[in-house]
Amino acid sequence: MKSHLLRPVYVVLGIIAAILIFRMLYVPKDFGVHERGYMYGWYRKGNEQEWKAVSIKYMTTEYCKDCHADKISMITKTPHAVIPCENCHGPAREHPSDPPKLSIDKSRNQCLRCHYPLPYPTSGRANIRGIDPEKHNPDIECAMCHNPHKPGLGG
């Protein structure tokens, strides 16, 4: 075989060898698929205890419904029903017992996370009513005029 044909083959083999050496040196020995197969994908077996020690931060709307049934029944009749409480009110894990309220971010930026106009047709964001924050009451919080628990219901 001519040398001009062998050089690319040597380069490809060299790249493959470099990748395999890099993997051998930098990927932990316990990384991979273990006794449960691909059920949880690739992970480090030696890292399981660390992940078990991670505390849950978000509690879901189920956690909120016992104490805040009035708010939840109000919001389930609105377009905001699909949004978990903690998206606006923060993680319930940090819900203090005294005072019995989470801190509520009433800033415009909180509402603009969803209501800034982003007309991307495939993202679903085009279906959310957006506002122009420069023109629509720029100096006040949205909650001064709108009740987020009753959006679209005249609230």
Side-chain angles (χ1 to χ4, degrees):
M1 220 185 261
K2 303 250 184 207
S3 67
H4 71 281
L5 295 175
L6 288 177
R7 275 190 219 131
V9 172
Y10 291 143
V11 169
V12 169
L13 290 174
I15 291 172
I16 291 172
I19 290 171
L20 292 174
I21 291 169
F22 177 83
R23 184 185 186 288
M24 185 177 70
L25 295 174
Y26 289 102
V27 175
K29 301 276 186 245
D30 63 344
F31 180 79
V33 178
H34 300 284
E35 65 272 358
R36 298 190 90 174
Y38 282 98
M39 183 177 208
Y40 298 109
W42 295 86
Y43 69 98
R44 273 191 51 225
K45 183 79 172 161
N47 192 312
E48 285 179 351
Q49 291 307 315
E50 289 175 46
W51 282 108
K52 287 178 183 178
V54 171
S55 60
I56 296 171
K57 195 172 184 180
Y58 293 93
M59 308 296 286
T60 75
T61 302
E62 280 295 308
Y63 177 81
C64 306
K65 75 177 185 178
D66 292 337
C67 299
H68 304 285
D70 57 331
K71 301 283 189 219
I72 291 175
S73 68
M74 189 186 313
I75 205 164
T76 55
K77 300 175 182 111
T78 73
H80 283 177
V82 298
I83 303 169
C85 303
E86 294 165 295
N87 273 23
C88 299
H89 294 284
R93 180 178 145 247
E94 297 165 6
H95 194 303
S97 56
D98 187 25
K101 287 189 170 196
L102 287 169
S103 61
I104 300 171
D105 181 1
K106 292 184 178 182
S107 70
R108 288 178 68 79
N109 288 338
Q110 178 73 355
C111 299
L112 289 174
R113 286 174 44 204
C114 296
H115 291 287
Y116 193 85
L118 295 173
Y120 305 127
T122 57
S123 71
R125 285 294 301 273
N127 300 331
I128 299 174
R129 187 179 308 168
I131 65 157
D132 182 347
E134 303 296 322
K135 294 179 182 171
H136 186 82
N137 300 322
D139 298 327
I140 63 172
E141 294 173 349
C142 301
M144 296 294 289
C145 300
H146 305 279
N147 180 344
H149 293 134
K150 293 183 183 179
L153 297 178

